[in-house]
């Protein structure tokens, strides 16, 4: 599986001649979702460290691990960039077993059909704006474009279980992985069918899309969801 196969982030190019004389040119798009790369690693780690150290005392991924996954599987990451600034991100990798084990923290299994979501984090300046749920929704819709992916899994502390439940994840049980004195709940999300969004438990189907970027920016929500 590769980013080239799905082309999830591609946008149609507009030639300079197609821009009318009175049309304003923008150096940077106001808001975009794109895959991350190793040049984003420091920004990613700074956001992650600020978000997790004060709460858990450690980060899901250290800087070398961020670089590791952004080298091996950048197509399984997603960053939300506003006016050139990274505001939120997700990093994932492929896994090939039913449940997570310690190896899942560092390995990428290219033949796996499960996406292990290692981390979702939002920059402190942009929290309490609903960005975490929107980014997760975008990411899950993107995964539907990848033909070999069947589900997403993650592990989280118990206080985050309601947050991920609102995004559609279901509890699998206690995770076999522990980090220092922390234990985790393992959760999963089925990946199948076309992209859709839910509103009051009703599924609204979209016509076939070339890119999740064509989906609406804002998600209808019944209430504010906590940020990670």
């Amino acid at each position: 599986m590769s980013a080239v196969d799905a082309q999830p982030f591609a946008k149609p190019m507009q030639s300079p001649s197609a821009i009318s004389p009175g049309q304003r040119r923008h150096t940077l798009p106001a808001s975009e979702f794109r895959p991350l790369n190793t040049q984003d690693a420091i920004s990613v780690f700074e956001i992650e460290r600020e978000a997790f150290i004060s709460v858990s005392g450690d980060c899901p991924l250290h800087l070398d691990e961020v670089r590791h996954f952004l080298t091996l599987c950048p197509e399984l990451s997603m960053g939300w960039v506003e006016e050139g600034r990274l505001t939120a991100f997700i990093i994932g990798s492929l896994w090939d077993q039913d449940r997570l084990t310690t190896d899942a923290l560092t390995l990428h299994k290219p033949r796996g059909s499960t996406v292990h979501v290692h981390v979702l984090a939002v920059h402190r300046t942009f929290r309490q704006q609903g960005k975490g749920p929107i980014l997760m929704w975008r990411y899950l819709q993107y995964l539907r474009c990848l033909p070999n992916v069947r589900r997403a899994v993650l592990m989280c502390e118990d206080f985050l279980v309601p947050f991920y439940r609102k995004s559609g994840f279901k509890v699998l049980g206690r995770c076999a992985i522990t980090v220092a004195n922390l234990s985790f709940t393992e959760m999963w999300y089925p990946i199948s069918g076309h992209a859709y969004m839910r509103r009051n438990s009703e599924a609204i189907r979209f016509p076939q899309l070339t890119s999740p970027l064509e989906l609406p920016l804002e998600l209808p929500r019944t209430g504010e969801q906590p940020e990670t």
Side-chain angles (χ1 to χ4, degrees):
M1 178 183 63
S2 68
V4 177
D5 296 330
Q7 291 292 325
F9 300 97
K11 288 185 175 180
M13 297 294 292
Q14 189 175 27
S15 64
S17 60
I19 302 175
S20 62
Q23 185 175 348
R24 183 179 178 183
R25 293 171 180 264
H26 293 276
T27 304
L28 294 171
S31 181
E32 67 171 342
F33 298 84
R34 64 166 175 82
L36 300 170
N37 56 62
T38 54
Q39 294 180 342
D40 298 306
I42 293 177
S43 296
V44 164
F45 184 64
E46 287 176 349
I47 294 173
E48 182 194 17
R49 180 174 56 186
E50 190 279 329
F52 284 91
I53 289 293
S54 61
V55 176
S56 304
D58 199 3
C59 294
L61 297 176
H62 294 160
L63 181 56
D64 59 335
E65 295 167 331
V66 171
R67 290 193 174 110
H68 171 71
F69 287 117
L70 294 185
T71 299
L72 290 178
C73 47
E75 72 276 9
L76 294 175
S77 68
M78 181 177 285
W80 189 342
V81 180
E82 294 187 296
E83 297 182 348
R85 183 181 185 184
L86 184 64
T87 63
F89 70 88
I90 291 174
I91 293 178
S93 66
L94 284 177
W95 184 239
D96 61 357
Q97 298 182 30
D98 291 337
R99 299 293 295 267
L100 295 174
T101 69
T102 303
D103 285 344
L105 299 179
T106 56
L107 297 182
H108 168 60
K109 298 286 190 175
R111 296 185 181 277
S113 61
T114 295
V115 171
H116 174 202
V117 180
H118 291 272
V119 58
L120 159 65
V122 179
H123 191 285
R124 63 180 179 276
T125 305
F126 300 93
R127 290 179 197 149
Q128 304 304 319
Q129 298 178 22
K131 289 187 181 296
I134 292 172
L135 180 61
M136 177 57 80
W137 176 78
R138 287 269 182 163
Y139 186 72
L140 294 172
Q141 305 317 303
Y142 163 47
L143 294 184
R144 293 174 185 272
C145 299
L146 305 180
N148 296 324
V149 173
R150 296 293 176 263
R151 64 180 190 142
V153 298
L154 57 82
M155 56 186 235
C156 65
E157 294 181 71
D158 291 348
F159 74 93
L160 287 173
V161 168
F163 171 84
Y164 288 112
R165 272 186 168 147
K166 289 180 180 178
S167 292
F169 282 82
K170 300 176 182 178
V171 172
L172 270 173
R174 301 307 297 173
C175 185
I177 302 170
T178 59
V179 178
N181 61 340
L182 296 177
S183 60
F184 304 93
T185 296
E186 191 168 337
M187 306 186 74
W188 75 287
Y189 181 95
I191 304 295
S192 61
H194 297 293
Y196 68 92
M197 65 180 177
R198 296 184 182 277
R199 181 174 182 175
N200 298 330
S201 299
E202 295 180 1
I204 304 176
R205 299 243 172 216
F206 290 88
Q208 195 166 15
L209 303 172
T210 59
S211 165
L213 291 174
E214 298 176 16
L215 300 175
L217 179 62
E218 293 294 336
L219 272 175
R221 299 191 299 277
T222 56
E224 188 63 21
Q225 300 181 357
E227 295 287 1
T228 56

